[in-house]
Amino acid sequence: MTILRGGDESLAPRPRALARLAATLTAQPWTLTPETVADASRQGLNEEQIEAAVGVISMFNYLTRVADATGIEFDYLTPLPAFEPDRRQAVKPRPARSVSSDRDVAGRPSLRHSPLRTAWQSWRAYVLESDEPLGRRERRLLASVAAEEAGDWDGATVGNALGSDARGDGQLVEFARKLSRQPWLMEAGDLEGLRACGYSEAAVLHMISVVAHQNADSRLAAGLAAASRT
C-alpha cells in the first residue's frame, strides 16, 4: 500500500521503476505514459523484459480479482507481511469516453513474445467465445463493462451493440463494475445476487473469470501501447 501511495523512494532505481509501472498500470491504467515505461528502460530493461513485466502485472490484476470475488484465502507460508487493503480508499475517477473508441479493436497492440502471445490469445478466446455455462452475449457484456472501467474504450466496443435490456443485465453490469473498480469490497452477497438471477455456480465462476480477464487484458493493452511509443 505504501508503494501505491508513492512511498517508493527507499527502493533502488530499477525496482522503483518497476514498482511505479505496476502501481500505475494497476490503479490508473488510463494514465500510463511512455515516460513511465522509458524509466524502466533506462534501468537496463530491454523490450522483452518490459513486455514480461507488463504481462505479470496484468496477470495479477486477474488473480487478485478472482481471489477477492471468490473469497480465496492463501494458506501457504510467506516471509512477506500480510496485506490488508484500505477498504475506505477513494475510487480513482474514470476518464470520459475517448475519441479512440471508434478504432477497430483488432488494432490493439500485440505481444511480441510468441509463447506468451499464443497462450494469451487462447485464454481470451476461451473466456469470451465459450457458450457454456455462460452465454457469449453475457460474457461480452461483462467484458465491455470491465474494459470501460479500465479506461479501455477500444476494448469496451466488444459489447457496445449488446445493450442492457435483457433480464438480469443490470445485475451483471453492477457486478462487473464493482469487481473492476473496487475488488477489495467484494463479498458473498455479490455472488448471491447473481445466483438469485438464476445463474448456476459454474456460470458465476465464469463471470468472475471474464471480468478478471478483461481487467488483465485492458492493462496489457495499455502497457503495450505505452511501450510502443517509447
Side-chain angles (χ1 to χ4, degrees):
M1 185 59 73
T2 299
I3 291 175
L4 288 175
R5 291 173 175 165
D8 53 17
E9 293 303 326
S10 63
L11 297 175
R14 181 169 170 134
R16 182 168 64 242
L18 286 171
R20 290 179 178 177
L21 175 62
T24 302
L25 199 51
T26 294
Q28 294 178 284
W30 54 88
T31 67
L32 186 68
T33 64
E35 177 57 29
T36 304
V37 179
D39 187 29
S41 297
R42 286 192 289 270
Q43 306 311 318
L45 294 168
N46 60 33
E47 289 183 4
E48 185 174 351
Q49 290 171 321
I50 289 175
E51 184 174 280
V54 168
V56 169
I57 295 164
S58 301
M59 176 62 72
F60 268 85
N61 272 273
Y62 170 85
L63 295 173
T64 54
R65 282 175 172 80
V66 170
D68 286 333
T70 59
I72 293 175
E73 293 185 4
F74 299 111
D75 57 2
Y76 54 81
L77 296 178
T78 172
L80 298 174
F83 174 74
E84 281 293 335
D86 180 2
R87 300 185 186 280
R88 297 173 298 177
Q89 61 184 290
V91 175
K92 304 295 185 183
R94 266 50 184 176
R97 181 176 287 274
S98 167
V99 293
S100 69
S101 59
D102 293 329
R103 293 202 305 259
D104 187 348
V105 176
R108 289 158 72 82
S110 177
L111 288 158
R112 296 184 181 182
H113 188 54
S114 180
L116 180 57
R117 182 177 66 252
T118 300
W120 198 281
Q121 290 174 343
S122 175
W123 178 32
R124 185 161 180 78
Y126 173 75
V127 168
L128 288 185
E129 297 175 14
S130 300
D131 292 306
E132 293 292 340
L134 182 68
R136 196 172 304 194
R137 180 187 175 283
E138 287 103 332
R139 293 174 187 272
R140 292 190 173 271
L141 177 60
L142 290 164
S144 180
V145 175
E148 182 179 311
E149 285 296 321
D152 174 14
W153 296 111
D154 290 340
T157 61
V158 298
N160 279 354
L162 297 177
S164 302
D165 301 324
R167 178 177 176 273
D169 275 2
Q171 192 77 33
L172 295 182
V173 170
E174 181 181 343
F175 172 75
R177 289 205 189 285
K178 184 174 182 180
L179 184 53
S180 298
R181 185 178 291 211
Q182 296 173 291
W184 57 87
L185 293 182
M186 294 298 295
E187 52 191 26
D190 295 304
L191 303 187
E192 288 302 327
L194 298 173
R195 297 185 185 107
C197 289
Y199 292 106
S200 68
E201 196 68 24
V204 170
L205 290 176
H206 274 248
M207 289 179 190
I208 293 170
S209 185
V210 169
V211 176
H213 169 76
Q214 185 58 56
N215 272 275
D217 190 73
S218 291
R219 285 164 172 80
L220 180 74
L224 295 179
S228 70
R229 297 195 298 271
T230 57

